[in-house]
Each structure stands twice: as structure tokens, then as C-alpha cells.
Amino acid sequence: MLKYQAIAADIQRSIEDGSLKPNDKLPTVVELCQIYDVSKITVKRAFDILVEKGLIASRRGSGTFVKSSQDMSDPRGTGAYIKGDARTLGFTRSDRARGFTVEHQDEGAITSVVYDFSIVTPPEKVARHLGIQPDDFTYHHCRVRCLDERPIVIESTYMPLDLIPGLKKSQLYKSVYSYIQETLGYKISSFHRIIRAVAATEEEAERLQTAPGTPLLELEQIGFFDDGTAFEYSVSRNVGDRAELRDVNVV
Amino acid sequence: MLKYQAIAADIQRSIEDGSLKPNDKLPTVVELCQIYDVSKITVKRAFDILVEKGLIASRRGSGTFVKSSQDMSDPRGTGAYIKGDARTLGFTRSDRARGFTVEHQDEGAITSVVYDFSIVTPPEKVARHLGIQPDDFTYHHCRVRCLDERPIVIESTYMPLDLIPGLKKSQLYKSVYSYIQETLGYKISSFHRIIRAVAATEEEAERLQTAPGTPLLELEQIGFFDDGTAFEYSVSRNVGDRAELRDVNVV
DNA sequence: AAGTGGTCTAGACCACTTC
DNA sequence: AAGTGGTCTAGACCACTTC
């Protein structure tokens, strides 16, 4: 682990276990340089991570402070939410405050129903977003993911065949991302997303065990490897009252 | 403007005007150091900005490349969308590709209808999120914002009275954020958000000129000054087929 | 072996806040 | 005047890719 990540993780731990309380002043940058035996720029990068997470705020001339707790976790008791970076984790659910999330795939509470898994030529729009030709083959799969037997989201995903050889239906019941990252060794680096509210169609309503017209949170998304290659185009629709998306937005 | 920001802006300009095309290789870090007469870490920070925006990707050992264009602007032709950081800009609409947005308040196309502007004691939940006591006074306002006469979003906002003296109803027809930043001199630094899909109530439907039950994109949001003080709690509900939210998510 | 980007140092210099 | 965080340098060292 890199030094600035280690320092950020260490400070985050102090905040989460209560040794640093809301509005507490952190040690100064120079003190932290001595404590961790690093240079200023390394402490600054650690701060950047925690500012990005919404945990601290710095004031030039006066110091760096723990933000007053803004515990927005699971306010409607839905028991499930999607974090900002949830797509890399696969499906997640709320674990504790501060938006910290953990995978629960091994606990058996999260299940998938696969409605389609095939190799097709993609729609023109999908081909364009993936940067491939319309006659290049892609995997297409459609699945519903459930938390404790309750359908949460229906996803439709396209991935270029060339990029991801050997994908099998059985992987769809687990995390496709871990297959890509661990088995194939690619590094997923970013997602471009558009978020909308839409009404459930009849088919979606049936598969999601809800009524047609029910509000769904739609995520249209393109995933990229760290070399900038688009590896995935996906549209997922989450049942409005069973999922939500969290975000920390630094200006 | 800081050096790394200037370099990032310069490279972004080259990408947008086509001098750098998708998949083109940028000059190496060392070359850019010479071109701009800066050190490596400054070039790296410029790269970080552009990676964050989804414009470039670096590959250790081989170079830095322009991402293949992922033009997702206004795919449904709604003519209006909310960018990731739109809340600081106030209400915005699509201007060009790559998610670049501009304010259009001076063109008269964006209008507001204010349904309520009063000083009240906040609900318990709001007080908690703002870090104030339930008997501390807050401004409360509810308004509908329209693009070309068409209602897009209904907002309900609470702001602590103590923090923002002198707010008048007339400001609500312009941007409250510019009042806070320019007139009062505070610096807005971040927002915590939860995004959901919900159904329009009868009252909302009437004010938004749509049908009850229509899917709305809800943003529940807390805004912070750069010293970590929460200055705003707001819930806004955007008509599903008239607005969308964009996002670039770096893992 | 040569070239690439990423991390990190030790310290200069600056803007801003506090006293 | 002293203390705070933010930017930036010049360069070392490293991990990785390309040839």
C-alpha cells in the first residue's frame, strides 16, 4: 500500500473508531510529516483522499478538522443502497455509517436471476459507446439481482467479445467484475454514468415484482479499463423504494 | 490560475478543438515538463484532473492517451440535464459534448416560481443534518424551476438563519449560491447527496405540470462550506423525462 | 537497454489566520 | 510575528512496457 493511502486509512480509522471526533482538529501537516516520517506533499495527498470522502475539511491558516458527522445511511430503512463506486464492488448493501460498504456475496443473501445470456451484434448506440463496429460481436446479458429474495435491480449489459474471452454464464451469478480483474488481470479504472428516473415497463415490473409504472432509478453506464478501453455498456434499473445512490461531491 | 489547472485546461482545449484526437498519445510527462517549464508532479496533477473528467488515461511504461470519445450528451434530446456539480452552478442545461455546462440564467430561458419563502424551525431530521438545534430558525423555501416555461424541478431547501443573514425572496429568482459566494464571501466546497427515484405526489404533479405517479429523480443533499459547516439541506425532485444527472466515476 | 508514468523527498515560497 | 495549509521545484527511485 502506498504511503499516502496508508496515512489516509489510518486517519479514517481514527475518525471511525471515535479517537477523532467531529470538529476535532487534526495534527498539523508538519506534525503529521514527523509522525509518519514523510514529506508535506504526501500528507497533502492523504488529506485529498479524506476530503474527497467528505470526512475532513482544511482551512488554510488555521488547520484541518473532522467534519461534523453527516450520517445519511439508510434513512428509509431500505436495507440496500448503491454507493458511488458500487459498480466495481458489484452489488452491495449498507454496512455502517459514513457510506462504508461491503460485499455480501458470500453470505448468500444476494442472488441473481439470469434472463438472457447470449452473443449478439450490438445496437448501433451501444457499438458507438463501446468504440466498436456494429458487426463486432458482444456478450449480452440481462439479469435481476435480489437481496434476501427481493428483486432490487434489473440490468442489461453488453461487453465486447474480443476483450473478455471465456465469460461463462456461471460467472453471472457471481461478480463479473472480479472475473475480469482477477482472472483476466485487467484493471477497471472508471465509469461514465447517466442517472435518470423512469417508469417500469410491464416486463420489468413482473421481473422486479412490482407494478408497471413504478419509479425506477436508471443508471446508463460505460466502464473503462485503465488504458481507456471501454469494456462495458450497461443500463440498470433499480426499484425506487429499494435502492438509492450516494455521492460526495467536492467542488 | 494555478499551474496545474492551467496545464489541464490547455490540454482539455486541445482535445475539444480536435488538435488531440481520440487514442492520440500525449507528449510524455518529461516533455510536458519542458513545454510548460514545470516539474513532473505538476504535470501529474494536471493529468489527475483530466483523468477525473474522463478525458485521458495513463499507462505506466507506455504513455498517456486521449480516451475514445464517449459523447453521451443529451441522448434523449431533453434539452436539460444536471451535471455532477450542477448544484454550485445553479440550474444548468446542456451546452456541448463532454458534459460541459454553462449557466443560462441571463438568457431568460430559466425561470423560477416560488411557492414558499419563510423562516421556520426545521424538522428534526433537517436540524440533525445541518448540525443545529431543532429550535434554531432556518429559512425554508420551495420553488419550481422551469426551462423555456417547462417545469423541470421542484426544490425544498432549509438554510440556517444565523449563517446566511439577509436572504431576500428576490434572490430566489436568481441563484442563491452566487448570493452566498459573492455577496457573503463564503466558499462552498462540497455536497453530500443521496439520489433516488420516487413517484410524484398530487401536489408535485400539479406544480410540475405532469401526472401523479410520474417518476421523479430525487436528490437529497447537504451542502458544506470549506470549513466543514453544513449550510443547506435540500430535497429536489426532477421530472424524470426532463432532466438527468451525469457522473464520471474514477475508481 | 531505453523509455514510460507514479511516488516520494526536502525544502522554498506563498496566502491566509490567529494572536 | 508566528503558525497554518497549498503549490511547486529538482531530482531520486521505482514499476512497468517496449524493443
Side-chain angles (χ1 to χ4, degrees), chain A residues 28-29 40-41 44 60-61:
Chain A
T28 68
V29 172
K40 276 180 71 173
I41 223 162
K44 180 55 169 50
R60 179 182 293 211

Side-chain angles (χ1 to χ4, degrees), chain A residues 41 44-45 48 52-54 57-59 65 67-72 75-76 84-85 88 98 125 128-131 188-199 213-217 220-222 224-228 230 233 238 240-241 243-251, chain B residues 41 44-45 48 52-54 57-59 65 67-72 75-76 84-85 88 98 125 128-131 188-199 213-217 220-222 224-228 230 233 238 240-241 243-251:
Chain A
I41 223 162
K44 180 55 169 50
R45 291 185 71 173
D48 287 345
E52 188 67 31
K53 288 188 179 181
S58 291
R59 280 177 261 178
F65 300 83
K67 268 198 183 179
S68 50
S69 179
Q70 298 302 331
D71 182 357
M72 293 176 76
R76 288 192 303 179
D85 56 357
T88 43
R98 290 272 185 207
K125 178 188 178 181
R128 186 162 37 83
H129 282 137
L130 290 174
I188 293 170
S189 77
S190 70
F191 294 92
H192 292 200
R193 281 193 312 201
I194 299 179
I195 302 157
R196 305 187 186 91
V198 299
T214 300
L216 304 178
L217 188 65
E220 178 183 6
Q221 153 169 297
I222 302 165
F224 296 88
F225 291 144
D226 63 352
D227 65 358
Y233 173 89
N238 298 266
D241 53 10
E244 61 194 19
L245 196 73
R246 278 130 195 294
D247 218 32
V248 174
N249 224 287
V250 177
V251 182
Chain B
I41 223 162
K44 180 54 170 50
R45 291 185 71 174
D48 287 345
E52 187 68 30
K53 289 189 177 179
S58 291
R59 280 177 259 179
F65 299 83
K67 268 197 183 180
S68 49
S69 179
Q70 299 301 331
D71 182 357
M72 292 176 79
R76 286 192 303 178
D85 55 358
T88 43
R98 291 270 184 209
K125 177 187 180 182
R128 185 161 38 82
H129 282 136
L130 290 174
I188 294 170
S189 78
S190 70
F191 294 92
H192 292 199
R193 281 194 311 202
I194 300 180
I195 302 158
R196 305 186 185 92
V198 299
T214 299
L216 304 178
L217 188 64
E220 178 184 6
Q221 154 170 297
I222 302 165
F224 296 89
F225 291 143
D226 63 352
D227 65 358
Y233 173 89
N238 298 265
D241 54 11
E244 59 191 26
L245 196 74
R246 277 131 195 294
D247 217 32
V248 175
N249 222 287
V250 178
V251 182

Side-chain angles (χ1 to χ4, degrees), chain B residues 78-95:
Chain B
T78 53
Y81 73 89
I82 318 164
K83 248 205 95 234
D85 55 358
R87 295 295 298 180
T88 43
L89 299 173
F91 187 81
T92 60
R93 61 172 179 172
S94 159
D95 194 54

Side-chain angles (χ1 to χ4, degrees), chain B residues 24-63:
Chain B
D24 273 4
K25 187 173 181 300
L26 271 65
T28 68
V29 172
V30 173
E31 284 166 352
L32 287 167
C33 289
Q34 293 161 352
I35 291 168
Y36 290 105
D37 192 26
V38 298
S39 65
K40 275 180 71 174
I41 223 162
T42 303
V43 170
K44 180 54 170 50
R45 291 185 71 174
F47 279 6
D48 287 345
I49 290 174
L50 298 173
V51 167
E52 187 68 30
K53 289 189 177 179
L55 293 171
I56 63 169
S58 291
R59 280 177 259 179
R60 180 183 294 213
S62 64

